[in-house]
Amino acid sequence: MKNKFVKAIFAIVLGSALFTSCKPKNSGDAVSGDAAQKAYVAPGKYDEFYNFVSGGFSGKVSVYGLPSGRLFRVIPVFSVDPESGYGFNEETKPMLNTSHGFVPWDDQHHTELSQTNGEVDGRWLFANANNTPRIARLDLKTFKTTEIIELPNSAGNHSSPFITENTEYVVAGTRFSVPPDNSNGDVPINTYKQNFKGHISFVKVGKEGQMDLAFQIQCPGVNFDLSHAGKGKSHGWFFFSCYNSEQANTLLEVNASQKDKDFIMAVNWKKAEEYIKAGKGKLTSTKYAHNVYDEKTHTAKSEIKTQVLILDSKELKDICYMIPCPKSPHGCDVDPTGEYIVGSGKLAALIPVFSFDKLQNAIKNKQFEGDYDGIPVVKYEAALHGEVQKPGLGPLHTEFDGKGNAYTTMFVSSEVVKWDIKSLKVLDRVPTYYSVGHLCIPGGDSKKPFGKYLIAYNKITKDRYLPTGPELCQSAQIYDISGDKMQLILDFPTIGEPHYAQAAPADLIRNNGQLKFFKLEDNTNPFVTKGEKESKVVRNGKRIDVYMTCVRSHFSPDNIEGIKLGDEVYFHVTNLEQDWDVPHGFAIKGANNAELLIMPGETATLKWTPDRVGISPFYCTDFCSALHQEMQGYIRVSPAGSSVPLTFSLGTNLPAVAK
Amino acid sequence: MKNKFVKAIFAIVLGSALFTSCKPKNSGDAVSGDAAQKAYVAPGKYDEFYNFVSGGFSGKVSVYGLPSGRLFRVIPVFSVDPESGYGFNEETKPMLNTSHGFVPWDDQHHTELSQTNGEVDGRWLFANANNTPRIARLDLKTFKTTEIIELPNSAGNHSSPFITENTEYVVAGTRFSVPPDNSNGDVPINTYKQNFKGHISFVKVGKEGQMDLAFQIQCPGVNFDLSHAGKGKSHGWFFFSCYNSEQANTLLEVNASQKDKDFIMAVNWKKAEEYIKAGKGKLTSTKYAHNVYDEKTHTAKSEIKTQVLILDSKELKDICYMIPCPKSPHGCDVDPTGEYIVGSGKLAALIPVFSFDKLQNAIKNKQFEGDYDGIPVVKYEAALHGEVQKPGLGPLHTEFDGKGNAYTTMFVSSEVVKWDIKSLKVLDRVPTYYSVGHLCIPGGDSKKPFGKYLIAYNKITKDRYLPTGPELCQSAQIYDISGDKMQLILDFPTIGEPHYAQAAPADLIRNNGQLKFFKLEDNTNPFVTKGEKESKVVRNGKRIDVYMTCVRSHFSPDNIEGIKLGDEVYFHVTNLEQDWDVPHGFAIKGANNAELLIMPGETATLKWTPDRVGISPFYCTDFCSALHQEMQGYIRVSPAGSSVPLTFSLGTNLPAVAK
């Protein structure tokens, strides 16, 4: 096909809808009478589900309640967070280390809850970084980011962090193919076909959640987009959508839309494991960071690793298979039984549903139509269960309710379409406002979806809320899907740029060992101060360590003298409280740094380099008691050559004395 | 009073309530049947009010809708925002410059909407920074931070950014007294009484909103806490609460709670203006930053100023007066008529209400009880209208409904109390969950409150929402106050650490010239590229300027070669779109920087220092069209000595050619 023809098709079929969404009519009328009661969670009552929403370009994960749409928590993952000190305090800086050094931001696209036997188990949440490829693991007992692993040989880590049914692996596929790390990367961009490769990463997850990059599979240079694991009968396989099988390197909006079909790549990862056991993997040199946060020391460490095990898809012919899929496939979703694989070609006018059994037969019987850069291409019809006809325009993503129904979002025609997985008949459709991307049904990509609600994460907001200048929030909508027909019950705005989200029943997480505070006795931070009497200030050359405590409503010490211009001051602040919801904050005037937000039992460290002679106050930033406003102190900075002795005190009204 | 006695009083009167909030019973039952309908805003419908909520330790301002409690926008003000690139891109870095250099964080406590004739006018929102003292102005046509001014001689800028009734001034009072900037700051902390001073700042606001530090009044070393302007008859006066009149410098929770009464300081600023005209101000040397964002160049500039005009309260006896106020006053609020000034002593068991007329008579008749460090102290009874008896424990803040009623929050007893301003009788009380700080009634500190809703911003959250580990969100509650009795209708969580908030009717802001996009023709950024044909890459020594455009769905150029290790690359990206809600994002792999989020018609610049030889992809981070995923490009970095020529292209599939 020629570019002109492609453009003409776009113009005819999709019209301006590609660029500006279709606006469904009667948005207000779409809401029926009992919607308010369904979405309302009365004061003092709890929401039914946690909704873990990717933050997109915020680099964070947002936690909402369903059905209220209320935002409970924003968890910093890949971006610095001046609010909590994440990435600013000494303890968490290593979390954002990469092979490129400290990276203060990333683009967080998908979340995935850990599973046991294909069911959501409420232990961890995985999150991907798209820009500088990484995967993070969050602990759902603390709602903290506890581990981040970088992915070598990758760029644009989009088809991630999807998992296998027992959380054996969390996977990633590169969205942008690039020259491998151990090759000469200084090549002309137009040698894409020869020099650029796409790598699929398999990160092993240990019993305690610890991640380890087990192996990568080198594949042709394409754009991997999304992925999902097989489950049940298809456990052992992983499915990745890919576009740009044209291998274009410029103006992809035209040049990567040439072919009628791109691919879903089926990966037999159990076979890959066998090859590794058989020594078929090649250790190749690279550089990637692995950062682990220790919940006892409250401190992260970053390690740079230098090797990765690579399998070559060209050489090992029976681990990867290409299934043709119309047209620029985006979503790649597997139904709860593991039998059906749904490909959503974002420029397609139908939805192909593939059968795992038929795929296995096709492979067995070598029903191939050649190969794609060494990977066998299975015949489309040989793997096809059937096509959903006229589902709408711009199918993107599909989730499941566990009752045999699939729900697919339509970006261009702005709607969610419900269809029967076996018969492929469209059962219902509802408008979205506007241009829906991902959707989420609680447990909707697992073997046991919880159903009840469907949330549409829309890409265009326009007039849905009161205007806020040129920049608008993103918008989500909640539908009740418990009946035959979907019912819109609430519009709610979201922060960051949500892509995907997952949801779990409240009790699964609430009753799974939620931590209310850190036990002070377990705190092994090297700078912890476990009681006021132990608080002190120590000089080592130009380094000053302040071992400080805080408790309602004072710091110890709160008067410090003898600091000199040129010193570097480390405030190690331990929160002595041992109760829920009593954080303290710490800030000092003029610091070229953020604040500390310190949970009960935790120690956090702020580095401060005084820039002038004089008195600087510090204070508690988190309203903690009726006398919070009195929770302050002063530090005196003298000239470099001063003979003012180092002293510190609390309540003695000076002269501050050295202990 | 001795410390022990103070502590005993606390123990008896307030019990453990000082430290752990009182938990009202039957929280669920407190909600009546029609609450859901009252709080619900159906999909497609608009909220009635904008609620501008201070972000506290987030350093941002949050914009919510009322009565839905939905979060529409988080506006970065004093903290870097990797999500939008604020503080990371070249254009906005100067906004966070201070006399201490670049400061990536602050603690944003109060918001104030501009007023005309004492009524909210919807033009600007002011916001204070507490830690490194500053005031910001936000433009409500664009919802952007457009100006920040630093305050010298100050620390802990808490009693700010409250304004006079025609927005003549925005004021600030130092929370922490410190040695003045032009004094020897290297003094022992226990010389507080001699050497520490409290400064009150008056920042003049011009017709276009531009701020200018007009003068400061030097006052005794105390802790200024909150403030409000007189209005109507009391226009020309400003009232500041202060605590720590004991002038303690350590363990303030005990040492600043010694006296039965601290003060509300009444400032006659019109008299201060007269003194300045008469040449009584002293220009003193200091250093503070003034940062202005230009909405045409989309670029901020920072200027360091070096002088400030000071009036001495000790010398000029008739600009400041102290009114005794029980006990550690916090809130300081003026009723819509301007006659009543409400002081809220956070450790007091009553609420004193002062009369402006009586204050004027007391001053005229010299009904003083001596002076406080040179400032006349008015006799308590001489200025007193009366006291609200048994209002609750821990009164903090008061707002008004314009119908003669006042509403005061009670931190310790966790409730809002409604009382009659004239009769001082308590009319109603409702529980809050838990430990309410500020409250907000739309227009509630102006001459014409809009009433209808009251929002309580609570300081303790505990079990109000599904748990999220040790760190919990903050919590707010909305009450319908249109009837005689207050009715709780909704709990909603808030982000950051909200302190104060203001609200305005939706139409006042919606219909006041809301900007939907920036006109490309008006863009005068020095690096703007107004069309794809003008896009280019220019080398100047080791500096590379990429003049790049973006429009659905490609960047121009999207293939760049000839960059060398050691170069510094500036991506100046102009969003060519001219429609609402079509931002584009820009990110490049491995950058030690954030992303760019570029509104239609805007130019933003990302600085990137390549750290390795090879190919790095860049892409659009904000889902913009059906072909968003195709919106990407590549840049090739060669070794330092390479002879690869500088080339750039779009769609020509290379070899990239120099234009």
Side-chain angles (χ1 to χ4, degrees), chain A residues 22-50:
Chain A
C22 297
K23 183 172 175 178
K25 286 175 186 171
N26 302 324
S27 58
D29 301 344
V31 182
S32 60
D34 62 347
Q37 291 297 343
K38 284 186 173 178
Y40 185 68
V41 176
K45 305 291 184 195
Y46 283 159
D47 275 270
E48 293 168 63
F49 293 94
Y50 284 93

mmCIF file of all heavy atoms in Angstrom, chain A residues 22-50:
data_model
loop_
_atom_site.group_PDB
_atom_site.id
_atom_site.type_symbol
_atom_site.label_atom_id
_atom_site.label_comp_id
_atom_site.label_asym_id
_atom_site.label_seq_id
_atom_site.Cartn_x
_atom_site.Cartn_y
_atom_site.Cartn_z
ATOM 1 N N CYS A 22 -14.899 11.662 18.582
ATOM 2 C CA CYS A 22 -16.330 11.788 18.348
ATOM 3 C C CYS A 22 -16.974 12.169 19.667
ATOM 4 O O CYS A 22 -16.703 11.547 20.695
ATOM 5 C CB CYS A 22 -16.931 10.462 17.900
ATOM 6 S SG CYS A 22 -16.264 9.888 16.344
ATOM 7 N N LYS A 23 -17.824 13.142 19.660
ATOM 8 C CA LYS A 23 -18.489 13.533 20.898
ATOM 9 C C LYS A 23 -19.879 12.915 20.941
ATOM 10 O O LYS A 23 -20.764 13.299 20.182
ATOM 11 C CB LYS A 23 -18.582 15.054 20.958
ATOM 12 C CG LYS A 23 -19.195 15.560 22.240
ATOM 13 C CD LYS A 23 -19.092 17.063 22.347
ATOM 14 C CE LYS A 23 -19.829 17.541 23.587
ATOM 15 N NZ LYS A 23 -19.706 18.978 23.759
ATOM 16 N N PRO A 24 -20.065 11.935 21.828
ATOM 17 C CA PRO A 24 -21.394 11.330 21.897
ATOM 18 C C PRO A 24 -22.413 12.362 22.384
ATOM 19 O O PRO A 24 -22.070 13.283 23.115
ATOM 20 C CB PRO A 24 -21.218 10.213 22.935
ATOM 21 C CG PRO A 24 -19.742 10.045 23.095
ATOM 22 C CD PRO A 24 -19.140 11.359 22.791
ATOM 23 N N LYS A 25 -23.632 12.190 21.977
ATOM 24 C CA LYS A 25 -24.674 13.142 22.359
ATOM 25 C C LYS A 25 -25.257 12.805 23.732
ATOM 26 O O LYS A 25 -25.110 11.717 24.239
ATOM 27 C CB LYS A 25 -25.779 13.126 21.309
ATOM 28 C CG LYS A 25 -25.346 13.834 20.022
ATOM 29 C CD LYS A 25 -26.429 13.702 18.959
ATOM 30 C CE LYS A 25 -25.930 14.281 17.631
ATOM 31 N NZ LYS A 25 -26.838 14.003 16.537
ATOM 32 N N ASN A 26 -25.954 13.785 24.260
ATOM 33 C CA ASN A 26 -26.754 13.560 25.475
ATOM 34 C C ASN A 26 -25.961 12.989 26.631
ATOM 35 O O ASN A 26 -26.379 12.025 27.259
ATOM 36 C CB ASN A 26 -27.902 12.597 25.171
ATOM 37 C CG ASN A 26 -28.781 13.149 24.058
ATOM 38 O OD1 ASN A 26 -28.988 14.351 23.975
ATOM 39 N ND2 ASN A 26 -29.255 12.263 23.200
ATOM 40 N N SER A 27 -24.814 13.590 26.899
ATOM 41 C CA SER A 27 -23.983 13.023 27.947
ATOM 42 C C SER A 27 -24.693 13.039 29.297
ATOM 43 O O SER A 27 -24.603 12.103 30.064
ATOM 44 C CB SER A 27 -22.649 13.768 28.033
ATOM 45 O OG SER A 27 -22.862 15.136 28.272
ATOM 46 N N GLY A 28 -25.400 14.099 29.564
ATOM 47 C CA GLY A 28 -26.103 14.177 30.846
ATOM 48 C C GLY A 28 -27.184 13.113 30.953
ATOM 49 O O GLY A 28 -27.327 12.445 31.973
ATOM 50 N N ASP A 29 -27.906 12.918 29.850
ATOM 51 C CA ASP A 29 -29.021 11.981 29.873
ATOM 52 C C ASP A 29 -28.572 10.531 30.018
ATOM 53 O O ASP A 29 -29.379 9.647 30.285
ATOM 54 C CB ASP A 29 -29.836 12.111 28.577
ATOM 55 C CG ASP A 29 -30.355 13.534 28.424
ATOM 56 O OD1 ASP A 29 -30.336 14.271 29.434
ATOM 57 O OD2 ASP A 29 -30.756 13.901 27.316
ATOM 58 N N ALA A 30 -27.281 10.298 29.789
ATOM 59 C CA ALA A 30 -26.792 8.922 29.849
ATOM 60 C C ALA A 30 -26.798 8.379 31.277
ATOM 61 O O ALA A 30 -26.577 7.202 31.500
ATOM 62 C CB ALA A 30 -25.377 8.853 29.280
ATOM 63 N N VAL A 31 -27.037 9.245 32.234
ATOM 64 C CA VAL A 31 -26.989 8.825 33.630
ATOM 65 C C VAL A 31 -28.407 8.590 34.149
ATOM 66 O O VAL A 31 -29.257 9.460 34.061
ATOM 67 C CB VAL A 31 -26.313 9.918 34.479
ATOM 68 C CG1 VAL A 31 -26.218 9.475 35.928
ATOM 69 C CG2 VAL A 31 -24.944 10.227 33.921
ATOM 70 N N SER A 32 -28.626 7.424 34.697
ATOM 71 C CA SER A 32 -29.963 7.142 35.202
ATOM 72 C C SER A 32 -30.055 7.423 36.694
ATOM 73 O O SER A 32 -29.068 7.719 37.351
ATOM 74 C CB SER A 32 -30.338 5.693 34.895
ATOM 75 O OG SER A 32 -29.411 4.830 35.511
ATOM 76 N N GLY A 33 -31.256 7.350 37.202
ATOM 77 C CA GLY A 33 -31.602 7.875 38.516
ATOM 78 C C GLY A 33 -30.816 7.375 39.696
ATOM 79 O O GLY A 33 -30.531 8.139 40.614
ATOM 80 N N ASP A 34 -30.431 6.095 39.685
ATOM 81 C CA ASP A 34 -29.798 5.576 40.891
ATOM 82 C C ASP A 34 -28.271 5.668 40.844
ATOM 83 O O ASP A 34 -27.592 5.132 41.713
ATOM 84 C CB ASP A 34 -30.245 4.130 41.140
ATOM 85 C CG ASP A 34 -29.821 3.199 40.007
ATOM 86 O OD1 ASP A 34 -29.406 3.704 38.937
ATOM 87 O OD2 ASP A 34 -29.915 1.975 40.197
ATOM 88 N N ALA A 35 -27.739 6.357 39.835
ATOM 89 C CA ALA A 35 -26.284 6.446 39.691
ATOM 90 C C ALA A 35 -25.656 7.092 40.929
ATOM 91 O O ALA A 35 -24.629 6.625 41.423
ATOM 92 C CB ALA A 35 -25.927 7.232 38.430
ATOM 93 N N ALA A 36 -26.264 8.156 41.428
ATOM 94 C CA ALA A 36 -25.695 8.861 42.585
ATOM 95 C C ALA A 36 -25.530 7.906 43.765
ATOM 96 O O ALA A 36 -24.473 7.845 44.385
ATOM 97 C CB ALA A 36 -26.591 10.044 42.979
ATOM 98 N N GLN A 37 -26.570 7.153 44.046
ATOM 99 C CA GLN A 37 -26.499 6.218 45.176
ATOM 100 C C GLN A 37 -25.450 5.139 44.934
ATOM 101 O O GLN A 37 -24.767 4.702 45.860
ATOM 102 C CB GLN A 37 -27.866 5.558 45.434
ATOM 103 C CG GLN A 37 -28.935 6.512 45.975
ATOM 104 C CD GLN A 37 -28.597 7.113 47.346
ATOM 105 O OE1 GLN A 37 -27.732 6.619 48.068
ATOM 106 N NE2 GLN A 37 -29.256 8.208 47.698
ATOM 107 N N LYS A 38 -25.299 4.717 43.687
ATOM 108 C CA LYS A 38 -24.331 3.656 43.393
ATOM 109 C C LYS A 38 -22.887 4.124 43.541
ATOM 110 O O LYS A 38 -22.018 3.336 43.927
ATOM 111 C CB LYS A 38 -24.562 3.117 41.968
ATOM 112 C CG LYS A 38 -25.772 2.204 41.867
ATOM 113 C CD LYS A 38 -25.865 1.582 40.485
ATOM 114 C CE LYS A 38 -26.971 0.531 40.454
ATOM 115 N NZ LYS A 38 -27.131 -0.058 39.119
ATOM 116 N N ALA A 39 -22.638 5.367 43.183
ATOM 117 C CA ALA A 39 -21.263 5.859 43.225
ATOM 118 C C ALA A 39 -20.895 6.422 44.598
ATOM 119 O O ALA A 39 -19.725 6.573 44.918
ATOM 120 C CB ALA A 39 -21.058 6.954 42.171
ATOM 121 N N TYR A 40 -21.904 6.725 45.410
ATOM 122 C CA TYR A 40 -21.673 7.439 46.668
ATOM 123 C C TYR A 40 -21.168 6.493 47.750
ATOM 124 O O TYR A 40 -21.726 5.415 47.956
ATOM 125 C CB TYR A 40 -22.996 8.059 47.111
ATOM 126 C CG TYR A 40 -22.920 8.936 48.341
ATOM 127 C CD1 TYR A 40 -22.243 10.155 48.309
ATOM 128 C CD2 TYR A 40 -23.556 8.562 49.526
ATOM 129 C CE1 TYR A 40 -22.209 10.975 49.428
ATOM 130 C CE2 TYR A 40 -23.525 9.383 50.652
ATOM 131 C CZ TYR A 40 -22.855 10.588 50.598
ATOM 132 O OH TYR A 40 -22.819 11.394 51.696
ATOM 133 N N VAL A 41 -20.097 6.900 48.414
ATOM 134 C CA VAL A 41 -19.626 6.187 49.597
ATOM 135 C C VAL A 41 -19.758 7.168 50.757
ATOM 136 O O VAL A 41 -19.085 8.204 50.796
ATOM 137 C CB VAL A 41 -18.181 5.706 49.428
ATOM 138 C CG1 VAL A 41 -17.683 5.046 50.706
ATOM 139 C CG2 VAL A 41 -18.087 4.721 48.258
ATOM 140 N N ALA A 42 -20.656 6.870 51.667
ATOM 141 C CA ALA A 42 -20.985 7.807 52.739
ATOM 142 C C ALA A 42 -19.788 8.014 53.662
ATOM 143 O O ALA A 42 -18.955 7.112 53.833
ATOM 144 C CB ALA A 42 -22.181 7.285 53.531
ATOM 145 N N PRO A 43 -19.680 9.208 54.257
ATOM 146 C CA PRO A 43 -18.635 9.447 55.250
ATOM 147 C C PRO A 43 -18.610 8.328 56.289
ATOM 148 O O PRO A 43 -19.657 7.922 56.797
ATOM 149 C CB PRO A 43 -19.074 10.778 55.877
ATOM 150 C CG PRO A 43 -19.798 11.485 54.783
ATOM 151 C CD PRO A 43 -20.520 10.405 54.040
ATOM 152 N N GLY A 44 -17.424 7.829 56.555
ATOM 153 C CA GLY A 44 -17.286 6.755 57.531
ATOM 154 C C GLY A 44 -17.390 5.364 56.943
ATOM 155 O O GLY A 44 -17.125 4.376 57.620
ATOM 156 N N LYS A 45 -17.786 5.271 55.685
ATOM 157 C CA LYS A 45 -17.860 3.961 55.008
ATOM 158 C C LYS A 45 -16.661 3.772 54.089
ATOM 159 O O LYS A 45 -16.059 4.751 53.649
ATOM 160 C CB LYS A 45 -19.149 3.864 54.176
ATOM 161 C CG LYS A 45 -20.421 4.131 54.972
ATOM 162 C CD LYS A 45 -20.722 3.028 55.968
ATOM 163 C CE LYS A 45 -22.058 3.288 56.670
ATOM 164 N NZ LYS A 45 -22.219 2.440 57.876
ATOM 165 N N TYR A 46 -16.358 2.539 53.776
ATOM 166 C CA TYR A 46 -15.215 2.250 52.914
ATOM 167 C C TYR A 46 -15.636 1.945 51.479
ATOM 168 O O TYR A 46 -16.702 1.376 51.242
ATOM 169 C CB TYR A 46 -14.441 1.036 53.452
ATOM 170 C CG TYR A 46 -13.579 1.356 54.645
ATOM 171 C CD1 TYR A 46 -13.159 0.350 55.507
ATOM 172 C CD2 TYR A 46 -13.165 2.656 54.923
ATOM 173 C CE1 TYR A 46 -12.356 0.625 56.615
ATOM 174 C CE2 TYR A 46 -12.370 2.948 56.011
ATOM 175 C CZ TYR A 46 -11.968 1.929 56.856
ATOM 176 O OH TYR A 46 -11.187 2.219 57.936
ATOM 177 N N ASP A 47 -14.742 2.261 50.580
ATOM 178 C CA ASP A 47 -14.922 1.843 49.190
ATOM 179 C C ASP A 47 -14.799 0.327 49.084
ATOM 180 O O ASP A 47 -14.208 -0.331 49.947
ATOM 181 C CB ASP A 47 -13.868 2.517 48.311
ATOM 182 C CG ASP A 47 -14.290 3.903 47.875
ATOM 183 O OD1 ASP A 47 -14.926 4.012 46.825
ATOM 184 O OD2 ASP A 47 -14.002 4.875 48.608
ATOM 185 N N GLU A 48 -15.329 -0.227 47.990
ATOM 186 C CA GLU A 48 -15.300 -1.688 47.798
ATOM 187 C C GLU A 48 -13.987 -2.201 47.216
ATOM 188 O O GLU A 48 -13.592 -3.329 47.455
ATOM 189 C CB GLU A 48 -16.422 -2.111 46.833
ATOM 190 C CG GLU A 48 -17.816 -1.918 47.365
ATOM 191 C CD GLU A 48 -18.813 -2.096 46.232
ATOM 192 O OE1 GLU A 48 -18.897 -3.202 45.669
ATOM 193 O OE2 GLU A 48 -19.501 -1.114 45.882
ATOM 194 N N PHE A 49 -13.350 -1.357 46.397
ATOM 195 C CA PHE A 49 -12.130 -1.790 45.704
ATOM 196 C C PHE A 49 -11.042 -0.723 45.807
ATOM 197 O O PHE A 49 -11.329 0.473 45.842
ATOM 198 C CB PHE A 49 -12.402 -2.023 44.200
ATOM 199 C CG PHE A 49 -13.308 -3.174 43.906
ATOM 200 C CD1 PHE A 49 -14.675 -2.983 43.740
ATOM 201 C CD2 PHE A 49 -12.800 -4.466 43.789
ATOM 202 C CE1 PHE A 49 -15.520 -4.046 43.452
ATOM 203 C CE2 PHE A 49 -13.641 -5.542 43.498
ATOM 204 C CZ PHE A 49 -15.001 -5.337 43.340
ATOM 205 N N TYR A 50 -9.807 -1.194 45.846
ATOM 206 C CA TYR A 50 -8.658 -0.339 45.578
ATOM 207 C C TYR A 50 -8.447 -0.322 44.068
ATOM 208 O O TYR A 50 -8.455 -1.382 43.424
ATOM 209 C CB TYR A 50 -7.388 -0.924 46.192
ATOM 210 C CG TYR A 50 -7.208 -0.797 47.682
ATOM 211 C CD1 TYR A 50 -7.635 -1.812 48.539
ATOM 212 C CD2 TYR A 50 -6.560 0.305 48.226
ATOM 213 C CE1 TYR A 50 -7.428 -1.726 49.909
ATOM 214 C CE2 TYR A 50 -6.347 0.406 49.594
ATOM 215 C CZ TYR A 50 -6.777 -0.619 50.434
ATOM 216 O OH TYR A 50 -6.567 -0.535 51.785
#
